[in-house]
């Protein structure tokens, strides 16, 4: 069997293992959906201000953005670290399976779970809370490339990040920075309410740009004036996410290890 066929088989196995990890399913797959439902119920039909958006409309881009990094970055960082520590990677490396098939399996896991999560998020927003979804091809095209670049960047960065921690510590090492980034990147709060210096910090990382890209998809065009530059900045968003994707890929090549530290 060739590497691609083995990668497909590995994807099916990864999905089975992922579905059995209840904590991972809750904190990476279901968490944004539950938060969207919770905020929509708590804050009701209007967030106030001139836009008069419902809570579901207001929080949907942020929950989509957080979901992209949770299903890519967090999933990869935690699963690869755990598999390295328990010897799974070491055993796989000693089999005839091409290494690329392992990574194809991980990519297949991220793509499948991320797409399923986005479909479920949009369905909940539409049918449970009456959110009007984009009605132009241009907005859906923006959704597609922001989703694609964000997921790829999160996947390679998560793989590289897994080398920084052991299975015992990876939860804290991954969850804490992710939580902080969500608070300063306009996921849970309006980006305009965040102090200027924190905006500058958030602008270094991909989540802020994913969230801004998704706001351009779901928010009215006149709300672009509330962004830092007063515009959606699609070109800069693509550039920043592309740079992070390339950087993550380079870091993967330089730092990925099949064996736990101190073993061979």
């Amino acid at each position: 069997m060739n590497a691609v066929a083995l990668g497909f088989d590995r994807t099916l196995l990864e999905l089975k293992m992922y579905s059995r990890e209840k904590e991972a399913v809750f904190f990476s797959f279901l968490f944004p959906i539950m938060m969207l439902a919770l905020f929509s119920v708590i804050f009701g039909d209007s967030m106030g201000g001139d836009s008069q958006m419902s809570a579901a409309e207001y929080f949907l881009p942020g929950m989509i953005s957080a979901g992209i990094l949770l299903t890519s970055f967090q999933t990869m960082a935690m699963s690869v670290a755990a598999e390295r520590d328990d010897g799974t990677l070491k055993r796989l490396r000693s089999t005839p399976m091409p290494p690329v098939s392992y990574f194809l399996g991980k990519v297949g896991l991220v793509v499948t779970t991320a797409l399923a999560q986005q479909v479920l998020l949009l369905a909940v927003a539409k049918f449970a809370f009456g959110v009007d979804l984009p009605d132009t091809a241009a907005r859906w095209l923006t959704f597609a490339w922001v989703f694609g670049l964000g997921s790829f960047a999160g996947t390679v960065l998560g793989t590289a990040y897994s080398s920084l921690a052991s299975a015992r510590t990876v939860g804290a090492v991954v969850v804490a920075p992710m939580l902080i980034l969500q608070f300063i990147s306009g996921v849970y709060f309006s980006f305009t309410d965040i102090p200027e210096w924190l905006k500058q910090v958030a602008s270094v990382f991909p989540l802020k740009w994913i969230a801004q890209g998704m706001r351009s998809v779901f928010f009215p065009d006149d709300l672009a004036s509330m962004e830092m530059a007063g515009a959606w900045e699609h070109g800069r968003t693509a550039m920043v996410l592309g740079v992070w994707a390339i950087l993550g890929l380079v870091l993967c090549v330089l730092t990925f290890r099949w064996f736990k530290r101190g073993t061979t």
Side-chain angles (χ1 to χ4, degrees):
M1 298 178 67
N2 59 37
V4 175
L6 288 171
F8 178 77
D9 291 340
R10 183 71 196 178
T11 297
L12 297 179
L13 179 60
E14 292 282 353
L15 288 169
K16 290 179 182 178
M17 293 189 296
Y18 179 82
S19 66
R20 294 169 183 168
E21 296 177 2
K22 307 306 179 186
E23 297 85 356
V25 172
F26 179 82
F27 286 106
S28 63
F29 185 84
L30 294 177
F31 187 73
I33 301 166
M34 294 182 64
M35 292 300 291
L36 176 67
L38 185 63
F39 287 146
S40 300
V41 171
I42 292 175
F43 294 106
D45 293 332
S46 178
M47 293 299 294
D50 297 331
S51 63
Q52 292 298 308
M53 300 173 68
S54 70
E57 292 171 326
Y58 184 82
F59 286 108
L60 179 60
M63 294 303 106
I64 287 175
S65 306
I68 289 173
L69 279 196
L70 287 173
T71 54
S72 58
F73 178 84
Q74 184 168 298
T75 296
M76 291 296 291
M78 298 182 75
S79 66
V80 173
E83 290 173 358
R84 180 182 294 117
D85 271 25
D86 67 13
T88 297
L89 293 186
K90 183 178 181 179
R91 291 191 294 272
L92 287 175
R93 192 68 182 93
S94 65
T95 69
M97 183 184 75
V100 69
S101 298
Y102 171 77
F103 293 106
L104 287 175
K106 288 295 186 185
V107 170
L109 169 66
V110 169
V111 170
T112 303
T113 54
L115 284 175
Q117 182 190 66
Q118 299 304 305
V119 170
L120 189 54
L121 259 172
L122 294 175
V124 169
K126 172 68 175 178
F127 298 110
F129 300 105
V131 174
D132 291 328
L133 301 183
D135 56 2
T136 65
R139 286 179 178 259
W140 283 115
L141 179 60
T142 300
F143 179 93
W145 67 257
V146 173
F147 171 82
L149 277 176
S151 297
F152 181 78
T155 299
V156 292
L157 287 169
T159 304
Y161 197 81
S162 70
S163 299
L164 297 180
S166 64
R168 188 186 313 177
T169 62
V170 70
V173 172
V174 171
V175 173
M178 278 292 300
L179 188 59
I180 292 171
L181 283 179
Q182 288 175 60
F183 274 102
I184 68 174
S185 299
V187 171
Y188 298 125
F189 300 108
S190 172
F191 199 61
T192 57
D193 295 336
I194 297 171
E196 192 65 28
W197 68 274
L198 273 180
K199 291 181 183 178
Q200 298 296 336
V201 172
S203 296
V204 175
F205 299 97
L207 181 56
K208 181 266 183 186
W209 297 98
I210 298 173
Q212 183 171 307
M214 288 303 175
R215 286 195 292 272
S216 77
V217 173
F218 294 94
F219 281 9
D221 287 333
D222 57 352
L223 292 186
S225 60
M226 299 177 65
E227 301 295 335
M228 288 181 65
W232 295 128
E233 297 184 287
H234 285 159
R236 181 172 293 183
T237 298
M239 181 187 69
V240 173
L241 293 179
V243 168
W244 273 108
I246 294 171
L247 177 62
L249 193 58
V250 172
L251 288 174
C252 278
V253 174
L254 295 177
T255 65
F256 185 82
R257 294 176 290 105
W258 291 93
F259 310 110
K260 183 179 179 181
R261 291 184 188 275
T263 62
T264 57

